[in-house]
């Protein structure tokens, strides 16, 4: 079910009904958990809590049952989480979707690398070539993630530089006087002696 809502600049659009529309009193308490996500994914924070529990706490139970399946379980959960994140794109901002997806892929590659290294150690194979290939994959994902972060920070940094430039341009006389004052003070001290 959808309702007609008013968006930016007076435009109207259809959006999904969520729990905040039904119970206005509890909406103020749910806002911190739902403001990052699209309206139809108001429940995504619950999924995030379950994902974190599955990736951290449940691993202990797998170790108790059988230690051989520890990495297999972690990789399976990580792969399911990457797939769900890639399919749904629950965040309002596309940047947040891409960043979360890249971080989850990074986690998957780390777990896969650990599984490969564990198996290679048991086989006594040549670990250098496989280790190098896994490091290259990890580095590629890390570089792309850093590019995402810096591309998101690029515009605010450019704006700050522009504001500082305009300030110094407008107040060039005041700034140059301020910057020269320490030298003039030291000269005055020398002349006084």
């Amino acid at each position: 079910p959808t309702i007609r809502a008013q968006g930016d600049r007076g435009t109207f659009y259809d959006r999904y009904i969520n729990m905040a529309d039904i119970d206005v009193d509890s909406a103020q308490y749910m806002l911190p958990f739902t403001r990052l996500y699209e309206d139809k994914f108001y429940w995504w924070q619950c999924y995030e809590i379950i994902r974190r529990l599955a990736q951290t706490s449940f691993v202990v139970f797998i170790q108790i049952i059988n230690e051989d399946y520890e990495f297999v379980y972690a990789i399976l959960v990580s792969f399911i989480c990457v797939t769900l994140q890639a399919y749904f794109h629950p965040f309002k901002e596309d940047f947040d979707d891409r960043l979360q997806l890249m971080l989850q892929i990074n986690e998957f590659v780390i777990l896969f690398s650990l599984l490969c290294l564990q198996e290679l150690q048991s086989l006594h194979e040549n670990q250098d070539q496989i280790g190098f290939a896994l490091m290259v994959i990890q580095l590629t994902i890390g570089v792309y993630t850093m590019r995402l972060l810096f591309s998101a920070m690029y515009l605010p940094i450019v704006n700050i530089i522009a504001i500082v430039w305009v300030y110094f341009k407008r107040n060039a006389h005041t700034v140059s006087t301020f910057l020269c004052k320490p030298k003039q003070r030291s000269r005055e001290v020398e002349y006084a002696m």
Side-chain angles (χ1 to χ4, degrees):
T2 60
I3 60 171
R4 194 99 169 128
Q6 187 171 3
D8 296 336
R9 300 183 188 121
T11 59
F12 287 95
Y13 66 97
D14 292 332
R15 72 172 178 82
Y16 288 93
I17 296 175
N18 59 25
M19 294 301 293
D21 296 324
I22 296 169
D23 188 9
V24 180
D25 294 332
S26 66
Q28 63 182 346
Y29 302 111
M30 292 188 330
L31 185 64
F33 302 109
T34 60
R35 71 172 185 263
L36 296 175
Y37 308 109
E38 294 177 8
D39 288 332
K40 62 184 176 182
F41 296 111
Y42 65 91
W43 49 269
W44 195 260
Q45 189 66 34
C46 296
Y47 160 77
E48 284 290 318
I49 292 169
I50 293 169
R51 176 184 69 85
R52 291 175 187 150
L53 279 173
Q55 289 181 327
T56 56
S57 302
F58 293 159
V59 174
V60 175
F61 296 122
I62 299 298
Q63 285 178 340
I64 292 170
I65 296 170
N66 191 349
E67 288 186 10
D68 296 337
Y69 295 115
E70 176 186 1
F71 282 122
V72 174
Y73 168 78
I75 287 175
L76 180 66
V77 169
S78 182
F79 180 75
I80 290 170
C81 293
V82 167
T83 306
L84 290 174
Q85 179 70 35
Y87 182 76
F88 286 118
H89 295 289
F91 290 96
K92 286 181 181 176
E93 299 292 327
D94 289 337
F95 172 76
D96 293 336
D97 283 324
R98 287 188 307 219
L99 183 62
Q100 181 73 15
L101 184 62
M102 288 311 303
L103 292 175
Q104 287 187 5
I105 289 173
N106 189 22
E107 181 181 316
F108 175 77
V109 169
I110 288 171
L111 291 170
F112 184 72
S113 301
L114 289 173
L115 179 67
C116 289
L117 290 177
Q118 183 184 27
E119 290 300 318
L120 286 174
Q121 286 175 352
S122 66
L123 296 175
H124 302 293
E125 294 277 331
N126 186 4
Q127 299 173 9
D128 293 337
Q129 294 173 349
I130 301 293
F132 180 74
L134 294 173
M135 289 299 289
V136 167
I137 292 170
Q138 184 69 28
L139 184 66
T140 305
I141 292 172
V143 167
Y144 182 73
T145 304
M146 293 304 292
R147 189 190 76 73
L148 278 177
L149 289 173
F150 285 123
S151 68
M153 294 184 328
Y154 175 74
L155 187 59
I157 289 172
V158 168
N159 287 341
I160 290 170
I161 291 171
I163 290 168
V164 169
W165 179 263
V166 168
Y167 174 77
F168 280 115
K169 211 62 166 143
R170 287 185 183 168
N171 302 317
H173 177 69
T174 308
V175 171
S176 65
T177 305
F178 176 75
L179 292 175
C180 292
K181 280 186 181 180
K183 292 178 185 175
Q184 291 173 353
R185 287 183 190 151
S186 64
R187 289 183 191 149
E188 291 171 4
V189 171
E190 289 175 7
Y191 292 129
M193 295 179 153

